[in-house]
C-alpha cells in the first residue's frame, strides 16, 4: 500500500469514525438531557404529590381538631358524610393520618424508580384500610364472645354452697314457730287453748306477710343484675325503693290488722271455737307491730342474697332466733304472759334482725358505696318491680288461699284439733323450705346470665341437678322422722 493510499485509508476510517462518534455523542447528550428532564419532571411531580398529601393530611388534622374544639365548647359538630359506616371512616382517618410520612416517602422515591408509583401505594393503603375496617366488626364480635365467655357459670358445688346456708335462713321461721308452739302449749292451764289460737293468729299475720314476699323476689332479681354489673348508683336506688315499698306496705298491713282483727276473727271462727277469738286477737295485735320490721328484714336479706352473701343474713337470723328463744322462755314461762309473751318475743327478734342487717349495709353494700334513705320511687322503678312481682304475687296469693282455708277449717274443729294442726303444719313448712331455698338460688344466679343462651342453659341444668340432690336428702330426712 502506498503512503498516499495508506494515508487515505487511514484518514477515511478516522473521518467516518469521527462522524459516527459525533452522532453517538449527540445522541448520548440528548438522551442524558431527556433523562435529566424526565428526572426533574418526576421530581417535581413527586414533590407536588408529597405537598398534596401534606396539605390533605394537614387539612384533615385541622378539621378533626376543630371538631374536638367545637365539641369541647358544647357547640354542634356538622355530621360527616354517611356514605360509609362509622367504623370504616374512623379506620380510614387513622390510616390516612398515620401513614403521611410513608406516603411522602413513596412519592419521593417513585421518581428514582425504587418503589411502585404513588397510585399503586395509595391503592395498597386503601386496600389495607378496607381490610382493617372489615376486620373491625369481626374483632368486636370476638371481643363480645370473649366477654360472654367470661361470665361466671356457677358450679353445682357453688350452688350447694349458696343453697344450704339459705335453707338455714328460711328454716328459722318454721323452727321458731315450733318453739313458740311448744312453749305456749306447755302452760299448765291455758296451754291448749292458746296453742290452738296460734292457728288463726298465724293465718292472719304470717300469711298476709307471705303474700308480700314478691318484694323480696323482685329485689333479688333486680339487684342480682345491678350487683353483677357493679352499678352502684342503680343498686342504691333500687334497694332504697324496695325498702320504701316494704315500709309503706308494712305500715299499711300492720295498721289494718291492729285495728280490725277483733272484727275479723268472729267472721272466720265458728261459735264452737269462740274461745279462740280473744287470744288470737291479742296475738295478732302485737304481731302487727312487727310487720314493717318483718318486710324490711325480708328485703334486706334478699338484697344480701342477691349479692351472693349468705353470711350476713345467716348471722342476723341466728341473732334474731336466739332473741326469740330467750324471749319465749322468759316472757311465757317465767313471766306468765302466755300467747302475748310469744308475740312480743317474735317482734323483738324481728327488730334485732333488721338492726343487724342495716348495720352491715349502711355505708357500703356488696363492695359499693351505699346510703340507706327513704325516697319516693319513680314510676319506672315501680313498673320494674310490678313487672317481676305481678305473676309471682298471683302464685303466692293462691298458696296463701289454700293454706288459709286448711288452717281455718282446722281451727273450727275445736281447740284440740286446732292445736294439733298448728304443730303438724309447722313440721310441714319445715320440709317446704328447701324448695324456697332453691327458688332463691335460681333468682340469684340466673338473671345475670339472661340472654346468654349457652350459659343460661348450663346453669339451669345445674340448678335442676342441685334441686334433685336437695329433694332426695329432704325426702330421706322426712322418712327418717316418720319411721
Amino acid at each position: 500500500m502506498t503512503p498516499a493510499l495508506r494515508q487515505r485509508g487511514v484518514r477515511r476510517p478516522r473521518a467516518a469514525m469521527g462522524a459516527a462518534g459525533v452522532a453517538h455523542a449527540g445522541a448520548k447528550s440528548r438522551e442524558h438531557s431527556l433523562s435529566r428532564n424526565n428526572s426533574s419532571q418526576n421530581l417535581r411531580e413527586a414533590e407536588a404529590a408529597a405537598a398534596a398529601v401534606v396539605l390533605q393530611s394537614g387539612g384533615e388534622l385541622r378539621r378533626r381538631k376543630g371538631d374536638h374544639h367545637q365539641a369541647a365548647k358544647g357547640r354542634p359538630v356538622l355530621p360527616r358524610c354517611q356514605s360509609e359506616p362509622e367504623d370504616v371512616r374512623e379506620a380510614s382517618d387513622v390510616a390516612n393520618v398515620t401513614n403521611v410520612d410513608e406516603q411522602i416517602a413513596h412519592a419521593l422515591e417513585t421518581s428514582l424508580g425504587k418503589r411502585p408509583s404513588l397510585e399503586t401505594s395509595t391503592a395498597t393503603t386503601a386496600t389495607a384500610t378496607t381490610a382493617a375496617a372489615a376486620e373491625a366488626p369481626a374483632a368486636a364480635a370476638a371481643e363480645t364472645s370473649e366477654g360472654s365467655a367470661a361470665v361466671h357459670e356457677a358450679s353445682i358445688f357453688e350452688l350447694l354452697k349458696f343453697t344450704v346456708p339459705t335453707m338455714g335462713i328460711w328454716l328459722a321461721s318454721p323452727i321458731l314457730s315450733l318453739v313458740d308452739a311448744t312453749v305456749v302449749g306447755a302452760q299448765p292451764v291455758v296451754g291448749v287453748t292458746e296453742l290452738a289460737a296460734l292457728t288463726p293468729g298465724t293465718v292472719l299475720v304470717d300469711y298476709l306477710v307471705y303474700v308480700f314476699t314478691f318484694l323480696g323476689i323482685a329485689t333479688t332479681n333486680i339487684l342480682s343484675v345491678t350487683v353483677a354489673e357493679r352499678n352502684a348508683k342503680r343498686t342504691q336506688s333500687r334497694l332504697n325503693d324496695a325498702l320504701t315499698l316494704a315500709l309503706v306496705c308494712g305500715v299499711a298491713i300492720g295498721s289494718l290488722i291492729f285495728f280490725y282483727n277483733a272484727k275479723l276473727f268472729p267472721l272466720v271462727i265458728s261459735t264452737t271455737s269462740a274461745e279462740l277469738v280473744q287470744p288470737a286477737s291479742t296475738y295478732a295485735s302485737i304481731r302487727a307491730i312487727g310487720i314493717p320490721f318483718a318486710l324490711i328484714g325480708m328485703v334486706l336479706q334478699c338484697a344480701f342474697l342477691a349479692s351472693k352473701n349468705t353470711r350476713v343474713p345467716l348471722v342476723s337470723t341466728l341473732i334474731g332466733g336466739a332473741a326469740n328463744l330467750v324471749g319465749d322462755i322468759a316472757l311465757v314461762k317465767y313471766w306468765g304472759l302466755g300467747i302475748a309473751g310469744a308475740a312480743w318475743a317474735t317482734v323483738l327478734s324481728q327488730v334485732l334482725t333488721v338492726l343487724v342487717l342495716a348495720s352491715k349495709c349502711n355505708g357500703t353494700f356488696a363492695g359499693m358505696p351505699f346510703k340507706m334513705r327513704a325516697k319516693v320511687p319513680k314510676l319506672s322503678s315501680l313498673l320494674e318491680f310490678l313487672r317481676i312481682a305481678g305473676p309471682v304475687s298471683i302464685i303466692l296469693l293462691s298458696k296463701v288461699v289454700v293454706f288459709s282455708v286448711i288452717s281455718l277449717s282446722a281451727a273450727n274443729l275445736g281447740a284440740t284439733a286446732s292445736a294439733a294442726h298448728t304443730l303438724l303444719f309447722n313440721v310441714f313448712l319445715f320440709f317446704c323450705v328447701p324448695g324456697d331455698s332453691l327458688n332463691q338460688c335460681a333468682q340469684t344466679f340466673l338473671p345475670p346470665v339472661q340472654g346468654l343462651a349457652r350459659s343460661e342453659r348450663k346453669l339451669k341444668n345445674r340448678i335442676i341437678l342441685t334441686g334433685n340432690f336437695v329433694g332426695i336428702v329432704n325426702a330421706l330426712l322426712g322418712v327418717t322422722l316418720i319411721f
Side-chain angles (χ1 to χ4, degrees):
M1 182 179 295
T2 62
L5 184 60
R6 284 197 302 269
Q7 186 176 3
R8 283 195 302 270
V10 171
R11 282 199 200 101
R12 284 178 184 173
R14 285 183 179 177
M17 289 177 62
V22 171
H24 181 71
K28 285 288 185 180
S29 176
R30 285 192 301 274
E31 183 179 354
H32 182 68
S33 176
L34 181 60
S35 176
R36 188 167 57 244
N37 291 336
N38 289 337
S39 298
S40 300
Q41 184 178 358
N42 289 338
L43 182 60
R44 285 193 299 271
E45 291 178 357
E47 291 176 349
V53 171
V54 172
L55 289 175
Q56 181 182 0
S57 302
E60 178 67 17
L61 290 174
R62 286 193 298 272
R63 188 193 66 76
R64 292 172 65 88
K65 183 176 180 181
D67 288 349
H68 288 298
H69 185 66
Q70 293 288 343
K73 288 187 174 183
R75 300 175 183 173
V77 178
L78 294 177
R80 300 181 62 187
C81 178
Q82 300 296 327
S83 60
E84 56 184 356
E86 182 65 21
D87 53 354
V88 175
R89 285 190 274 106
E90 290 180 358
S92 179
D93 290 343
V94 173
N96 288 335
V97 173
T98 56
N99 291 332
V100 171
D101 293 337
E102 184 177 353
Q103 292 182 32
I104 293 174
H106 272 272
L108 291 175
E109 293 181 3
T110 299
S111 62
L112 301 179
K114 296 180 180 180
R115 290 196 179 184
S117 62
L118 182 61
E119 291 79 2
T120 305
S121 176
T122 305
T124 304
T125 303
T127 303
T129 301
T130 306
E135 290 175 1
E143 184 178 354
T144 303
S145 178
E146 291 176 1
S148 300
V151 175
H152 178 65
E153 299 174 356
S155 64
I156 294 180
F157 176 76
E158 290 174 320
L159 295 176
L160 285 173
K161 187 178 178 181
F162 177 87
T163 303
V164 172
T166 306
M167 288 174 57
I169 295 170
W170 299 134
L171 279 172
S173 179
I175 289 176
L176 293 178
S177 297
L178 282 173
V179 172
D180 288 346
T182 302
V183 175
V184 171
Q187 297 178 101
V189 180
V190 294
V192 175
T193 302
E194 291 191 343
L195 178 60
L198 283 177
T199 296
T202 301
V203 167
L204 184 60
V205 178
D206 289 343
Y207 289 5
L208 279 179
V209 171
Y210 184 74
V211 173
F212 287 88
T213 306
F214 69 82
L215 286 174
I217 295 174
T219 301
T220 303
N221 277 267
I222 294 172
L223 293 189
S224 61
V225 176
T226 61
V227 171
E229 295 173 348
R230 309 307 298 168
N231 191 334
K233 182 178 180 181
R234 184 175 173 83
T235 299
Q236 175 173 294
S237 176
R238 291 298 181 263
L239 181 51
N240 281 323
D241 289 344
L243 291 173
T244 301
L245 290 174
L247 177 62
V248 172
C249 294
V251 171
I253 297 300
S255 299
L256 289 175
I257 292 176
F258 185 84
F259 291 108
Y260 293 101
N261 71 85
K263 299 179 180 179
L264 180 62
F265 281 126
L267 299 177
V268 296
I269 298 177
S270 63
T271 55
T272 57
S273 303
E275 68 274 13
L276 304 181
V277 173
Q278 192 276 330
S281 176
T282 300
Y283 180 82
S285 297
I286 298 173
R287 286 289 310 277
I289 300 173
I291 290 179
F293 296 99
L295 293 183
I296 292 174
M298 177 190 64
V299 168
L300 289 175
Q301 283 184 337
C302 290
F304 278 104
L305 293 175
S307 65
K308 300 180 177 62
N309 184 344
T310 58
R311 185 182 61 85
V312 173
L314 186 59
V315 170
S316 66
T317 301
L318 292 176
I319 293 175
N324 193 8
L325 178 61
V326 173
D328 279 339
I329 295 174
L331 297 177
V332 176
K333 185 176 182 179
Y334 292 101
W335 290 7
L337 296 180
I339 195 172
W344 282 116
T346 302
V347 172
L348 175 63
S349 70
Q350 292 169 340
V351 173
L352 286 179
T353 299
V354 170
L355 291 178
V356 173
L357 293 170
S359 66
K360 295 297 182 180
C361 71
N362 196 16
T364 59
F365 173 76
M368 296 180 290
F370 175 78
K371 183 177 181 181
M372 188 182 298
R373 60 187 179 89
K375 61 187 290 286
V376 178
K378 296 181 180 179
L379 180 60
S380 59
S381 178
L382 291 176
L383 291 177
E384 187 175 7
F385 276 96
L386 183 62
R387 176 181 60 82
I388 300 173
V392 175
S393 60
I394 296 175
I395 298 173
L396 295 174
L397 186 60
S398 62
K399 291 171 65 176
V400 166
V401 169
V402 172
F403 291 163
S404 298
V405 170
I406 294 173
S407 298
L408 292 176
S409 298
N412 289 323
L413 295 176
T416 304
S418 179
H421 170 78
T422 299
L423 292 173
L424 292 178
F425 192 72
N426 285 323
V427 174
F428 165 75
L429 293 178
F430 178 88
F431 288 99
C432 290
V433 166
D436 293 333
S437 302
L438 290 168
N439 183 20
Q440 183 70 54
C441 178
Q443 295 167 26
T444 301
F445 285 92
L446 280 177
V449 299
Q450 187 176 8
L452 305 176
R454 179 177 175 273
S455 299
E456 188 174 357
R457 183 175 63 255
K458 290 176 65 177
L459 188 55
K460 285 180 179 179
N461 292 334
R462 290 172 183 174
I463 291 176
I464 292 173
L465 291 175
T466 304
N468 292 334
F469 176 77
V470 173
I472 292 173
V473 174
N474 193 36
L476 292 176
L477 180 61
V479 171
T480 302
L481 291 179
I482 293 174
F483 297 102

